Amino acid sequence: MANRFDVIFDTFRSDEHTIIHGDVLTSIKGLDDESVDLIFADPPYNIGKDFDGLRESWAESEFLEWCYEWLEECHRVLKQNGTFYLMNSTENMPYLDIWCRQKFNVKSRIVWAYDSSGVQAKTYFGSMYEPILMLTKSDKIYTFNHEDIMVEAKTGAKRQLIDYRKNPPQPYNTKKVPGNVWEFPRVRFKMDEYENHPTQKPEALLERIIKASSNVGDVVFDPFSGSFTTGATAKRLGRRSIGIEINEDYVKMGIRRLDIPSKYSQEELAKEKKRKTKNLSKKVREKDESPSLSPAQASLI
């Protein structure tokens, strides 16, 4: 399936940020070996979401083959001391986890837990989290700025207890490094950061990742940029960024959020919030007989 279509529609650049409008398998091959410090990848989950006309519903074997291709490329472009955060669905992550163990060191298996929208399964326990793998090339040499991501310790410190295990006894620490269960709310319509994207990730999630695993001036790469939260957060935190995105509407989001010069008018780039109501429930999606596209066909959208 590699490189079935050589599609790179356009590239947009500023001094510190690059947006590539094109197919991921073609576009990523233009990046140099070991050229990025941090990768965050939030690819399609193949669970029937509608991305403005492109519905992801591919044969499992084809979907996984496609994933392994771009994962191989992510390994190539990541620096030896770099870190890679990979998200996917609970259904797909076991396959991706096993593949990644052959190439990377799995440093953490993170759970992003979030609140329910009120619609929940009635015949089984519905999913209330998404898994994230923290991967490194080197087992020991990688960036982890633990002091930049400390959170409140809600145990003894909050009650002003004394830790008598220490000599001499001392008050409990008021801050700690987060564990591997992260609780961030999903992006809602009334939030300022909301964009017209069906699987937008919260800036708070990306801020923790970028602060922990990169330094000011480092290159942060997102091969499935979507709403461009990765690039926008990287810019706010003083990092450089590279983003790949196949959908032109989402590319426009990135150009606006990163303030990159482009061929588009201000009217074309203007933010217009729309509710994400087109994505149907899983039960309804399974009954929908509308055609879906394979990863190869999707690269032409």
Side-chain angles (χ1 to χ4, degrees):
M1 239 169 62
N3 260 359
R4 288 185 183 176
F5 301 100
D6 292 328
V7 181
I8 299 179
F9 296 120
D10 222 333
T11 301
F12 306 91
R13 291 188 177 90
S14 66
D15 291 340
E16 304 291 335
H17 305 279
T18 299
I19 292 176
I20 303 170
H21 179 198
D23 166 56
V24 65
L25 288 179
T26 301
S27 303
I28 198 171
K29 293 181 185 300
L31 302 185
D32 293 336
D33 294 356
E34 299 184 9
S35 58
V36 301
D37 301 279
L38 170 63
I39 300 174
F40 173 78
D42 178 27
Y45 287 7
N46 198 30
I47 57 173
K49 287 279 188 181
D50 185 342
F51 292 88
D52 292 312
L54 169 59
R55 178 161 297 160
E56 40 155 44
S57 182
W58 314 316
E60 182 177 76
S61 59
E62 184 181 14
F63 173 74
L64 291 173
E65 179 188 351
W66 173 72
C67 286
Y68 299 153
E69 286 192 68
W70 59 257
L71 282 168
E72 186 78 54
E73 288 296 311
C74 285
H75 183 271
R76 178 184 65 81
V77 302
L78 186 65
K79 292 181 180 179
Q80 285 297 322
N81 63 343
T83 307
F84 178 18
Y85 288 81
L86 171 63
M87 295 191 69
N88 217 275
S89 67
T90 54
E91 298 94 332
N92 296 325
M93 191 57 86
Y95 298 101
L96 304 181
D97 189 317
I98 290 172
W99 189 93
C100 286
R101 286 182 230 172
Q102 303 173 55
K103 293 284 186 176
F104 299 94
N105 298 284
V106 181
K107 305 307 294 186
S108 293
R109 292 178 174 87
I110 300 163
V111 168
W112 171 37
Y114 43 69
D115 57 312
S116 172
S117 61
V119 179
Q120 195 54 273
K122 293 182 174 62
T123 57
Y124 57 93
F125 299 107
S127 181
M128 298 289 290
Y129 77 95
E130 293 176 40
I132 307 173
L133 289 180
M134 177 188 176
L135 309 164
T136 62
K137 275 190 173 180
S138 170
D139 188 33
K140 296 182 179 180
I141 303 174
Y142 57 92
T143 298
F144 192 72
N145 302 312
H146 71 279
E147 292 185 353
D148 293 342
I149 57 169
M150 301 284 272
V151 296
E152 181 184 9
K154 298 179 180 179
T155 53
K158 199 163 188 178
R159 292 181 286 164
Q160 298 182 333
L161 299 181
I162 302 298
D163 187 353
Y164 289 97
R165 297 170 298 179
K166 297 179 180 179
N167 188 18
Q170 300 174 30
Y172 277 87
N173 292 329
T174 60
K175 298 287 185 179
K176 66 176 182 179
V177 177
N180 67 345
V181 178
W182 298 357
E183 295 184 7
F184 294 111
R186 288 183 288 182
V187 181
R188 303 297 190 189
F189 181 75
K190 292 186 178 180
M191 298 171 69
D192 289 340
E193 66 183 272
Y194 180 98
E195 297 284 347
N196 299 331
H197 190 279
T199 62
Q200 181 181 357
K201 299 304 182 288
E203 290 181 12
L205 177 76
L206 271 301
E207 181 171 328
R208 178 172 291 177
I209 288 171
I210 292 170
K211 281 184 174 180
S213 296
S214 69
N215 298 306
V216 171
D218 281 355
V219 177
V220 180
F221 171 51
D222 187 338
F224 302 92
S225 289
S227 61
F228 282 84
T229 296
T230 303
T233 306
K235 180 177 181 178
R236 175 164 57 82
L237 296 175
R239 277 68 167 172
R240 295 175 287 163
S241 74
I242 301 172
I244 296 173
E245 175 54 48
I246 190 71
N247 186 303
E248 185 177 19
D249 288 336
Y250 302 157
V251 167
K252 292 177 185 178
M253 289 181 192
I255 291 169
R256 169 173 47 78
R257 296 186 76 179
L258 276 73
D259 194 23
I260 294 177
S262 75
K263 61 186 179 182
Y264 299 106
S265 67
Q266 291 299 313
E267 289 75 18
E268 291 176 288
L269 298 176
K271 182 174 182 177
E272 181 184 358
K273 292 173 67 172
K274 299 177 183 177
R275 289 189 179 274
K276 302 167 186 175
T277 56
K278 293 182 180 180
N279 287 307
L280 306 176
S281 68
K282 184 175 182 180
K283 184 177 180 180
V284 174
R285 291 198 303 263
E286 289 172 349
K287 293 181 179 180
D288 192 340
E289 297 181 355
S290 60
S292 59
L293 301 181
S294 69
Q297 291 171 317
S299 66
L300 290 180
I301 296 300

